[in-house]
Amino acid sequence: MYSKQNPAENLNFGYNTASEARRRLLTLYNVYTFFNTYVKTEEFLSIDLNPSPKSVEDKWILSKIDHLISACEFNLEKYDVAKVSLAIEDFFINDLSLWYIRRSRKRFHLSTDSGQTKDRSEAMSVLYYVLLNIVKLISPIMPFFAEQMYQNLKTDNMPESVHLCNWPQLKEEGYADLELESKIDEARNIVNLVLAKRSEKSIKVRQPIALIKIKNKKLKIEGDKEILEIIKDEVNTKKIIFDPKIKNEIELDTKITQELKEEGIIRDIIRYIQGMRKETGLKPEDKILV
């Protein structure tokens, strides 16, 4: 809370202000808890500390943390701690938690399928790399919080304390990919527009729709199958078409066939059961009978 404050201005302290700072930090703590829930300590030794992922979203989050490290170093050298704090907070809330973790959650489930096992291994490596770097970035600002997380993430061959670690060093080739970041920005913008349209027409996200049309044909994502699949998954649609002749920026096919309706019902049932599992306090590995 104090680090985010511009020292040239007054800060009106109050319990609500402190509670808001705590609420935001809980997002980072929840990401760290998620990792510890799905990745056992003994698995840390097999994690690749220099991930080379194939997934678009893995590459994207690594590019984002690369830029975050550079931005933090640049601003700390100018003693601008407020910019550093705001940049880190924006990263772990909007990029890491609301997008990467939410979309990658299923990848962390244990599976006997060799393809899924490899995908889980890549996801573990990427998230571990991101968490270790975040811990180092926040250590000058929140030393005790950083130390607590580090102690539960480190392996025996790592420094005893986060404060004995070197500042994060970017690899020579780096992970930065501005083109990919730009595409994901476009995708997220489209997702927000479609979700707003769904809300406007009272169509819940769990109800699949047949088609969405996008007016702008100059978007970088046109023709990028992986990014378009991400959008389809996010907005729950079967098809995406680019059509410069439509009136609005985004248009939805709101006709719900019987087949789409049944698929929506199945998703509702799954969501309801997941809610019951959570209320009962079941762990991911606990099997149930429905």
Side-chain angles (χ1 to χ4, degrees):
M1 180 181 71
Y2 285 121
S3 297
K4 287 193 297 180
Q5 178 68 13
N6 183 342
E9 298 173 3
N10 289 334
L11 169 63
N12 295 322
F13 176 80
Y15 290 112
N16 289 339
T17 316
S19 295
E20 176 61 17
R22 179 179 180 274
R23 185 186 67 79
R24 287 172 172 270
L25 285 172
L26 275 173
T27 304
L28 175 57
Y29 191 79
N30 288 339
V31 171
Y32 150 79
T33 303
F34 168 82
F35 181 83
N36 276 342
T37 300
Y38 286 95
V39 182
K40 305 304 176 192
T41 309
E42 55 269 23
E43 291 183 288
F44 288 8
L45 292 173
S46 62
I47 289 178
D48 184 0
L49 294 177
N50 293 294
S52 303
K54 295 176 177 63
S55 156
V56 164
E57 283 162 307
D58 285 346
K59 291 177 181 176
W60 170 77
I61 199 68
L62 289 176
S63 179
K64 295 292 284 188
I65 190 76
D66 240 25
H67 283 126
L68 181 65
I69 291 168
S70 298
C72 288
E73 187 168 335
F74 177 77
N75 286 297
L76 281 176
E77 284 177 352
K78 296 196 302 178
Y79 298 96
D80 194 341
V81 183
K83 271 190 183 174
V84 173
S85 303
L86 288 166
I88 294 172
E89 186 181 87
D90 180 66
F91 172 81
F92 69 67
I93 291 177
N94 295 311
D95 295 330
L96 186 59
S97 177
L98 290 181
W99 190 262
Y100 182 77
I101 292 293
R102 182 178 55 78
R103 287 200 48 79
S104 302
R105 193 171 288 275
K106 289 179 183 176
R107 299 171 65 199
F108 285 84
H109 294 177
L110 285 168
S111 172
T112 52
D113 181 272
S114 60
Q116 288 182 351
T117 301
K118 190 174 186 304
D119 187 47
R120 178 177 182 269
S121 179
E122 285 190 1
M124 283 194 314
S125 295
V126 168
L127 185 52
Y128 191 60
Y129 175 89
V130 170
L131 281 173
L132 277 177
N133 279 297
I134 287 181
V135 165
K136 292 172 187 176
L137 293 178
I138 69 170
S139 61
I141 301 164
M142 290 175 287
F144 301 108
F145 187 29
E147 186 66 25
Q148 183 192 352
M149 287 197 288
Y150 178 78
Q151 288 303 321
N152 289 311
L153 290 171
K154 81 179 192 73
T155 56
D156 291 340
N157 60 348
M158 291 182 184
E160 189 176 346
S161 165
V162 69
H163 306 294
L164 296 174
C165 293
N166 290 326
W167 182 257
Q169 298 296 310
L170 302 178
K171 294 199 298 182
E172 276 188 33
E173 63 275 19
Y175 290 115
D177 187 338
L178 288 173
E179 179 78 8
L180 178 59
E181 288 187 38
S182 177
K183 284 183 178 182
I184 295 288
D185 284 344
E186 285 183 356
R188 292 174 79 175
N189 184 47
I190 289 168
V191 167
N192 289 336
L193 290 172
V194 174
L195 294 181
K197 282 280 184 187
R198 273 181 166 273
S199 178
E200 186 185 300
K201 297 179 182 296
S202 300
I203 304 172
K204 55 191 174 185
V205 182
R206 289 192 296 280
Q207 174 57 62
I209 55 175
L211 173 71
I212 69 166
K213 290 182 180 180
I214 301 170
K215 185 174 185 176
N216 191 342
K217 285 186 72 70
K218 294 181 181 178
L219 293 171
K220 294 177 182 177
I221 58 170
E222 188 182 6
D224 191 317
K225 291 182 181 179
E226 283 187 277
I227 303 287
L228 292 176
E229 282 300 319
I230 289 172
I231 296 173
K232 283 164 70 174
D233 184 47
E234 279 291 299
V235 302
N236 200 7
T237 187
K238 301 296 182 185
K239 195 173 182 181
I240 295 174
I241 292 176
F242 287 85
D243 184 356
K245 296 177 182 177
I246 61 174
K247 185 179 177 182
N248 301 309
E249 196 65 36
I250 299 283
E251 287 188 4
L252 316 184
D253 180 351
T254 56
K255 184 182 177 183
I256 307 297
T257 63
Q258 184 61 30
E259 189 179 357
L260 290 172
K261 185 179 179 182
E262 286 175 3
E263 196 176 324
I265 291 169
I266 290 167
R267 285 180 177 240
D268 272 336
I269 291 169
I270 291 169
R271 178 67 180 265
Y272 186 72
I273 292 169
Q274 295 286 34
M276 292 177 73
R277 285 181 64 98
K278 190 175 181 180
E279 287 172 15
T280 315
L282 294 174
K283 294 177 182 176
E285 61 268 23
D286 293 331
K287 301 290 183 184
I288 59 168
L289 199 62
V290 178

